[in-house]
Amino acid sequence: MNKSLFEFKGIRRKIFAHLLITTLIMGITSIYSYYNAKIVIDRLKSIFTDYVYLNNLNNDINSLETEVEKYLSTKSSDSLLNYYTISNKLSNNAEDMINIITYDNDSLMQKDIGNMIMSLLSETDKAVNAKRGRISSEYIEYFTRANKINDYIKMYINNLIYNKLQEGSIKYNKISKNMIFISFLNILLILTSVIVNIVLAIIYTYRITRPISELSDTAERISKGDFDIEPIRIKTDDEVNILADAFNKMVTNIKNYIDEIKMQAKVEKRLKEQEMQNLKMKNILRESELKALQSQINPHFLFNTLNAASQIAMMEGAEKSSEFIEKVAELFRYNLRKLDKPVTLKEEVDNVFNYMYILKTRFGQKVEFQTNIDESLLNVKVPCTIIQPVVENAFIHGIEEIEGKGVIRIEIKEVDGSIHIDVIDDGMGMNQESINKILSADDPDNDENKHVTGIGMHNVINRLRLYYNIADIDDVIEIESGIGYGTKVTLKIPMGRGSAT
């Protein structure tokens, strides 16, 4: 557990002291009010308890008389059952009243009532038994005596209730007077505690927030750029004093940093001007190098020369040579187009077929080419030259180095709303380090010069990300490979996304 939770110092000590005092005042006030209310309730409860008890006793005696009379007149079994139930209840009450150990006037009257109830029950039992024995002269006599006893009991109960009411009235008057005093005292205590709490809250709030307000006002002036302020002088024994000292040091440091930044800005301005001059020179040199390279070989001249060679081979009857030269010419013609112009997926597949024809012509049975293409997807627009570099990479790094025949398979299908272009080979495979190097967006493709088009895997990945505006490499390409198990490269083409065609 964090020990600082129980360390009371500084602002925490002030707030805790205020809350503790406030809580004690409200707690004492509430406890006192509750104690007085409980006393009043207990006194009122004692008054009504006796009255309710005597009233219920009177009702039970009336019910007993009614049930006996019903049984004697109708000999109903329900009346007899009700009689015995009420009789047992009254017998218990009578015993409790007889056993009262006090001897004041009310207690003596209760003892008399208890004895009379026992006599009443004796007479009613005799009347019931006589009725059950069908001795009509006896049960009438017993019932008559029972009625007389019942009248005496009711008279005693009424007298006792009257005494209780008189006594209760006196107690109630006293309680009412006490209640007025207690209510006034409770209101006075509540008002006093509220006023004390408000005063304490104002005092503690002012002491805590005054230095914080000074700090906030000074901080607002600094936020507007006004650093010409006097150091804050706060004398407290809490964290605000430490905060004020740190704030003064911070203002001084900010002034020093601003001066340093101004000096650095001047130096950086000079450096940027020099960098701009250097960049202009580099651009001029780069343009010169490109023009020099373009002057060394004219791609269109090469393409036209290949077409001429194809026509000569056709006229001489060398059909295979003519077809081979024609495929090479088509490959160059496809790659002469600008890479920023989109093409259909069918054009990409046809370009791969041309490239594979050239490979099979050169290497014979060294490589076998297989396809499984969903033709309904071939009209989708994609960036130019994205499949052929992957196929070429599969041949150079997967098939060419193994002994015997290798297989390159292309699968194009729709998966979860995107087009997956799988290039699968059963070649040498690669380890995870090589996969990570290919998938690294910042690592240039060192093997690009080995490709016919000069376009390597890194170039394909970056063009896909730019074309479809995708930041995560995993959303455009996925590579599965293992040493000796071949490689599967999956290009992911979003449906309905990308640059304008």
Side-chain angles (χ1 to χ4, degrees), residues 416-465:
D416 296 332
S418 64
I419 299 174
H420 282 199
I421 303 173
D422 297 333
V423 179
I424 307 166
D425 68 76
D426 59 354
M428 295 180 61
M430 66 182 90
N431 55 26
Q432 190 61 42
E433 183 180 355
S434 299
I435 295 175
N436 293 338
K437 187 175 181 181
I438 294 174
L439 296 179
S440 175
D442 300 323
D443 186 24
D445 202 334
N446 295 326
D447 293 329
E448 285 187 3
N449 292 331
K450 294 182 180 181
H451 288 70
V452 171
T453 60
I455 300 173
M457 294 290 292
H458 183 262
N459 183 288
V460 171
I461 294 171
N462 283 337
R463 283 193 298 116
L464 285 173
R465 292 172 64 199

Side-chain angles (χ1 to χ4, degrees), residues 318-329:
E319 295 181 359
K320 288 188 177 181
S321 298
S322 174
E323 185 179 3
F324 178 78
I325 295 171
E326 185 180 352
K327 295 297 184 183
V328 173

Side-chain angles (χ1 to χ4, degrees), residues 40 45 70 208 225 244 260 265 279 294 302 343 405 448 479:
V40 171
K45 184 178 179 181
K70 286 182 180 179
I208 293 173
E260 292 178 5
L279 185 59
Q294 289 175 353
L302 179 60
V343 297
K405 180 180 178 181
E448 285 187 3
I479 300 176

Side-chain angles (χ1 to χ4, degrees), residues 373-437:
I373 299 172
D374 184 353
E375 295 185 358
S376 65
L377 305 173
L378 293 181
N379 290 326
V380 175
K381 292 284 188 177
V382 295
C384 180
T385 317
I386 59 171
I387 304 178
Q388 184 270 332
V390 181
V391 175
E392 185 174 358
N393 202 67
F395 178 77
I396 293 173
H397 299 288
I399 303 298
E400 193 174 23
E401 302 297 332
I402 66 173
E403 296 182 3
K405 180 180 178 181
V407 178
I408 297 177
R409 180 177 177 83
I410 294 180
E411 295 183 358
I412 300 178
K413 55 193 174 183
E414 182 179 351
V415 178
D416 296 332
S418 64
I419 299 174
H420 282 199
I421 303 173
D422 297 333
V423 179
I424 307 166
D425 68 76
D426 59 354
M428 295 180 61
M430 66 182 90
N431 55 26
Q432 190 61 42
E433 183 180 355
S434 299
I435 295 175
N436 293 338
K437 187 175 181 181

Side-chain angles (χ1 to χ4, degrees), residues 27-44:
I28 292 171
T29 303
S30 300
I31 292 171
Y32 181 78
S33 300
Y34 171 77
Y35 175 75
N36 288 329
K38 189 175 185 304
I39 291 175
V40 171
I41 291 172
D42 290 339
R43 290 177 179 176
L44 290 174

Side-chain angles (χ1 to χ4, degrees), residues 124-158:
T124 54
D125 284 339
K126 291 177 182 179
V128 169
N129 291 330
K131 178 64 177 178
R132 297 177 70 179
R134 298 185 179 183
I135 307 174
S136 58
S137 59
E138 291 184 3
Y139 74 72
I140 293 173
E141 181 181 356
Y142 293 137
F143 181 71
T144 302
R145 284 202 296 267
N147 284 334
K148 290 181 180 180
I149 296 172
N150 190 15
D151 291 336
Y152 283 110
I153 293 173
K154 289 180 180 179
M155 182 182 67
Y156 269 68
I157 289 175
N158 289 332

Side-chain angles (χ1 to χ4, degrees), residues 73-140:
S73 60
T74 63
K75 206 174 182 180
S76 170
S77 59
D78 292 335
S79 299
L80 182 61
L81 181 61
N82 292 334
Y83 163 73
Y84 283 125
T85 302
I86 299 171
S87 176
N88 290 332
K89 183 178 178 181
L90 287 173
S91 177
N92 293 331
N93 290 337
E95 289 179 0
D96 293 336
M97 297 172 75
I98 293 171
N99 294 328
I100 294 176
I101 58 175
T102 56
Y103 294 91
D104 55 24
N105 186 48
D106 289 346
S107 298
L108 292 174
M109 289 182 68
Q110 290 186 42
K111 287 177 177 290
D112 292 337
I113 292 172
N115 290 320
M116 285 189 289
I117 290 173
M118 296 301 292
S119 299
L120 173 65
L121 295 176
S122 176
E123 294 298 324
T124 54
D125 284 339
K126 291 177 182 179
V128 169
N129 291 330
K131 178 64 177 178
R132 297 177 70 179
R134 298 185 179 183
I135 307 174
S136 58
S137 59
E138 291 184 3
Y139 74 72
I140 293 173

